[in-house]
Amino acid sequence: MAQLLYFSWVRERIGKSEEQFDLPDGVQDVAALIEVLRERDNGYATAFEDLSRIRIAVGQSHVGTDHTISDTDEIAFFPPVTGG
Amino acid sequence: MASISVQADDFDITGEINALKADRVDIGAIVTFTGTVRDLDGSLTSMTLEHYPGMTERELQAVADEAEARWPLQACRVIHRYGTLSPGENIVLVITMSAHRHAAFQAADFLMDFLKSRAPFWKKEETGEGATWVDARESDELALKRWNS
């Protein structure tokens, strides 16, 4: 099971901060995972409606949507960061 | 070795400087940057900083290590707070120490540019009208390009 984490308004729109998720067969990169998540309900669809505003980390490192994922990964979705 | 902290509590700038400097006499320049909660028009009641525990520490350490690799620093310290803060409160502290000022100034500038675009923090501003997430600034992204050469 992959561990999915959501932060900021991505978390608010989806309605949870984390979940375990069984990656379906054929889902091998972040882009494919986002497509699957979008279909789950309106909250996910709203969270992922504009991918230019979504940033991704796999294994706590910044990655792009073409990054390969597996069932043991920690995968986080969040808006562009605003610290400092 | 650069030292970083992610904490809810406030920090003591003088205490941090003294701890880093200790009895060293090879330091000729100390630069500090402090970022604070800004309220330009009196509407802000508080600001809440959310972060990604684990990744935050990794990113801050990576940025601080990169600063130490690029400039001859005697000390490098980054502290970033999370949680709910009031207007005027401290958010972030960067301290760089070097034999000469240019390295200390540039390293501190670099650290702030990079942590603003890489460290996973998100600010939410609370006002009497409700709460809104702060949007990332394009200028912060552009600021990184200065350091690419």
Side-chain angles (χ1 to χ4, degrees), chain B:
Chain B
M1 170 79 180
S3 160
I4 65 105
S5 299
V6 180
Q7 62 191 45
D9 292 339
D10 196 9
F11 43 77
D12 169 30
I13 300 171
T14 308
E16 294 292 336
I17 291 172
N18 290 341
L20 288 172
K21 190 165 179 291
D23 296 325
R24 296 182 67 155
V25 294
D26 57 338
I27 294 167
I30 301 171
V31 167
T32 74
F33 172 85
T34 308
T36 60
V37 178
R38 175 177 55 227
D39 178 25
L40 290 178
D41 62 4
S43 65
L44 188 74
T45 51
S46 65
M47 173 180 279
T48 298
L49 280 130
E50 179 174 333
H51 77 116
Y52 180 173
M55 182 172 175
T56 311
E57 289 83 354
R58 286 171 62 131
E59 286 296 324
L60 290 181
Q61 189 68 56
V63 172
D65 289 347
E66 175 70 16
E68 286 201 323
R70 287 191 182 212
W71 289 278
L73 302 179
Q74 264 88 343
C76 177
R77 176 99 172 101
V78 179
I79 304 176
H80 204 303
R81 297 178 69 193
Y82 61 87
T84 299
L85 307 175
S86 299
E89 276 199 75
N90 293 326
I91 301 173
V92 60
L93 175 66
V94 163
I95 303 174
T96 53
M97 299 188 178
S98 185
H100 302 286
R101 72 181 184 281
H102 286 302
F105 272 128
Q106 288 187 18
D109 200 11
F110 168 90
L111 277 162
M112 282 308 303
D113 278 352
F114 268 73
L115 81 82
K116 281 188 88 78
S117 70
R118 304 241 341 227
F121 286 96
W122 301 273
K123 288 178 179 145
K124 191 177 206 177
E125 292 180 336
E126 289 96 23
T127 69
E129 319 232 302
T132 48
W133 291 101
V134 173
D135 276 328
R137 289 168 177 245
E138 199 175 337
S139 58
D140 287 339
E141 204 65 38
L142 291 173
L144 293 187
K145 295 200 162 80
R146 292 194 291 149
W147 306 103
N148 284 345
S149 55

